[in-house]
């Protein structure tokens, strides 16, 4: 097996894992805007926990997609063309979600806020499900022919594995969001998030556990099966830490669960980057789907310089905004005039 393609397969797996860890909790918090938060103050608390970091977290999605395009162009072309419709829905959902973050507080009106709350909640749900479906199909296969093109109609990608992957990321994101709220808030929101976490952990982790076990049955090895077993231990520890009020340890244990589960899934799929459900001979692998050694070598140099910088500024951001948020920190809601309208009300004889 060639060294550089293998290194970049691992790097892309790490990027996707980093995305699910960082974006997972803010997608989960977004989904919890409806159903968990009881009033506008609590919804503003939820938004303030992720407000400084959500856009930085999405950088990992762009980086994972860009790295796939550069390191494995055939993988990128086959996957993104086959999943054109679901990935388009993901893009629209992320756009609505981002706009809602900015516009929700512009008008002090319950109906106005309710519409944007639904945009945040549904946008987070659709984005999480779409990303999960894409990752699930990446590891289980699409109907690809010898040229790497999808066979069948626009919904040929839809399968039980797509649904399983989508539910896996949705469930993990919801649980990760609850763990983050227990860690980042205070008062009733904190205690309720911890209670929901303890009660829902077995249910919300069931789809991702099913995904991991399915991969082990299809192509698992001894070390990937061991990783699944270790992930189960990490999930039990997360549940126990949350039950005893150790929110930080619960959050990190859940992150360890994700790391081990992701390693077992990508490890079981290796060296295939995109299986064909039509013929195993049409599988895309790290060897036949990768860029040239020169391209991969140049990417490695750039990554060694750029990745530490990205990690440093994100770590600094989280450190600056490390304090807990509660309803006492939320000022009264109020409307305000846009700058142009406000300027029009100023008398002409005043500067």
């Amino acid at each position: 097996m060639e060294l550089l393609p293998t290194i970049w397969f691992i790097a892309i797996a790490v990027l996707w894992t980093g995305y699910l860890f960082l974006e997972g909790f803010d997608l989960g918090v977004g989904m919890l805007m409806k159903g968990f938060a009881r009033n506008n103050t609590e919804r503003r608390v939820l938004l303030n926990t992720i407000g400084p970091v959500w856009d930085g977290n999405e950088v990992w999605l762009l980086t994972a997609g860009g790295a796939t395009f550069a390191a494995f162009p055939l993988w990128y072309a086959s996957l993104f063309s086959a999943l054109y419709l679901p990935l388009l829905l993901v893009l629209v959902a992320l756009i609505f979600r981002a706009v809602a973050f900015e516009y929700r507080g512009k008008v002090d009106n319950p109906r106005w806020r309710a519409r944007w709350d639904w945009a945040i909640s549904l946008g987070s749900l659709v984005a999480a499900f779409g990303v999960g479906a894409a990752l699930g199909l990446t590891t289980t296969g699409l109907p690809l022919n010898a040229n790497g093109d999808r066979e069948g109609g626009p919904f040929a990608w839809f399968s039980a594995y797509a649904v399983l992957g989508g539910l896996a990321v949705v469930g993990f994101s919801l649980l990760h969001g609850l763990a983050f709220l227990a860690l980042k808030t205070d008062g009733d929101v904190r205690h309720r998030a911890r209670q929901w976490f303890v009660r829902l952990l077995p249910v919300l982790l069931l789809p991702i556990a099913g995904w991991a076990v399915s991969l082990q049955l299809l192509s698992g090895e001894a070390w990937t099966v061991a990783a699944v077993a270790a992930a189960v231990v990490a999930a039990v520890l997360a549940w126990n830490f949350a039950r005893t009020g150790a929110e930080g340890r619960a959050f990190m244990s859940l992150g360890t669960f994700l790391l081990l589960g992701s390693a077992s899934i990508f490890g079981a799929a290796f060296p295939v980057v995109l299986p064909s459900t039509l013929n195993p001979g049409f599988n895309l692998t790290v060897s036949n789907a990768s860029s040239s050694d020169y391209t991969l070598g140049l990417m490695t140099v750039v990554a060694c310089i750029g990745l530490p910088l990205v990690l440093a500024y994100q770590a600094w951001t989280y450190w600056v905004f490390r304090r807990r948020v509660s309803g006492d920190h939320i000022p009264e809601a109020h409307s305000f005039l846009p700058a142009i309208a406000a300027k029009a009300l100023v008398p002409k004889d005043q500067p």
Side-chain angles (χ1 to χ4, degrees), residues 201-227:
L201 183 146
V203 176
L204 293 179
L205 291 187
L206 192 60
I208 196 170
W211 179 14
V213 171
S214 297
L215 262 293
Q216 305 316 307
L217 295 176
L218 289 173
S219 56
E221 299 181 10
W223 76 267
T224 59
V225 174

Side-chain angles (χ1 to χ4, degrees), residues 29 31-46 104 117 181 189 192 196:
V29 171
M31 286 185 272
L32 292 168
M33 289 283 289
K34 305 297 289 187
F36 176 82
R38 293 174 173 173
N39 51 51
N40 182 48
T41 299
E42 288 193 354
R43 293 187 181 96
R44 292 175 69 188
V45 168
L46 264 61
R104 182 189 184 276
D117 289 341
L181 290 178
V189 172
R192 201 162 70 249
W196 280 40

